[in-house]
Amino acid sequence: MNEIEFYMHRCLDLAKNGLGYVAPNPMVGCVIVHHNTIIGEGYHQRYGEPHAEVNAIRSVKNKNLLSKSTLYVSLEPCCHHGKTPPCTDLIIAEKIPEVVIGTVDPYDEVAGQGIARLRNHGVKVDIGILRNKSIRLNKRFFVYHQKKRPYIILKWAQTADAFMDIERLPGTPAQPTWITSEKLRMLVHKWRTEEQAIIVGTITALKDNPRLNVRDWT
């Protein structure tokens, strides 16, 4: 791993902290480096609140170093007014001379325009550092904007001989048959905390009436 990838990995690690809190926004992490030392870092913590770049810049104690530093961010900085002001404007205002980006933002309001705005103001921009990892982290966000549909996870449990349940006929006392272990059920509950919706089949709803909560995961 080279130095640039090291800092981008740190961005991605920070970004993961936003899982379950920032949707429908993407998870984004940012670090600011001066003379091979991270002097600031941040991530998008909650939907509607400041983006990763803002939190990273705010964390820098000596703001005079910003004009001599490189900003690393896992996703292209926004350049439009949404719930918060454009991050590109803040980067330009702080005179940060170089920005390293994991991948282009697929959202129509950004989609390369943030990069163009930075370059038009003399900022050196490098793109595509750990691009595949950056896209994979925000697979839900990319699928929604590129394919215009939700990202879908199919989950089921079955026995080694390919059964999902015993036959439960109307009027029989048969109860739901657990196939997964307690640890696997905990994992499923963790997955539920990371998604925006859960769908079950009609038979599951009628026979099991599942609570679909996250009681096994804090």
Side-chain angles (χ1 to χ4, degrees):
M1 187 190 306
N2 60 37
E3 182 180 298
I4 295 176
E5 290 178 344
F6 174 83
Y7 294 128
M8 190 58 67
H9 268 292
R10 178 58 181 163
C11 290
L12 294 171
D13 286 342
L14 287 166
K16 293 173 186 175
N17 291 318
L19 182 62
Y21 297 99
V22 301
N25 281 357
M27 294 172 280
V28 183
C30 178
V31 299
I32 299 171
V33 178
H34 177 261
H35 286 174
N36 300 321
T37 300
I38 294 178
I39 61 171
E41 60 182 28
Y43 65 95
H44 185 29
Q45 298 179 10
R46 194 173 294 276
Y47 176 70
E49 294 184 3
H51 291 180
E53 300 92 325
V54 176
N55 289 329
I57 290 171
R58 286 178 178 175
S59 74
V60 176
K61 294 181 178 179
N62 184 357
K63 297 296 192 291
N64 293 324
L65 297 179
L66 289 171
S67 62
K68 308 167 189 174
S69 300
T70 300
L71 182 146
Y72 293 78
V73 64
S74 55
L75 189 70
E76 176 183 6
C78 65
C79 55
H80 66 290
H81 285 271
K83 291 186 176 296
T84 59
C87 291
T88 51
D89 288 2
L90 179 61
I91 293 170
I92 292 166
E94 294 292 351
K95 297 181 172 56
I96 297 174
E98 185 173 0
V99 174
V100 179
I101 298 169
T103 186
V104 175
D105 189 331
Y107 179 40
D108 290 341
E109 294 284 343
V110 188
Q113 297 176 71
I115 293 167
R117 180 165 177 75
L118 291 172
R119 285 175 170 167
N120 288 340
H121 283 78
V123 179
K124 180 185 176 184
V125 179
D126 291 321
I127 315 163
I129 309 303
L130 300 186
R131 177 178 178 274
N132 291 338
K133 290 181 182 292
S134 299
I135 292 174
R136 195 176 307 124
L137 174 67
N138 281 303
K139 52 186 180 287
R140 303 164 185 84
F141 183 76
F142 275 81
V143 167
Y144 176 76
H145 286 285
Q146 293 177 337
K147 299 181 181 296
K148 310 304 179 187
R149 66 165 175 80
Y151 180 85
I152 300 167
I153 300 170
L154 297 178
K155 173 267 170 188
W156 68 91
Q158 71 180 45
T159 60
D161 53 353
F163 285 93
M164 293 186 181
D165 199 353
I166 61 173
E167 186 175 11
R168 289 187 276 162
L169 300 174
T172 61
Q175 296 297 313
T177 303
W178 287 104
I179 297 173
T180 50
S181 66
E182 289 186 8
K183 287 185 178 180
L184 282 175
R185 291 201 297 271
M186 183 184 295
L187 175 62
V188 170
H189 286 207
K190 176 180 182 293
W191 287 347
R192 289 177 182 173
T193 69
E194 299 170 358
E195 307 307 327
Q196 300 301 297
I198 306 170
I199 301 173
V200 295
T202 303
I203 301 302
T204 298
L206 291 175
K207 291 195 172 183
D208 294 343
N209 190 25
R211 284 178 279 177
L212 300 179
N213 60 19
V214 293
R215 59 193 179 278
D216 290 340
W217 181 259
T218 302

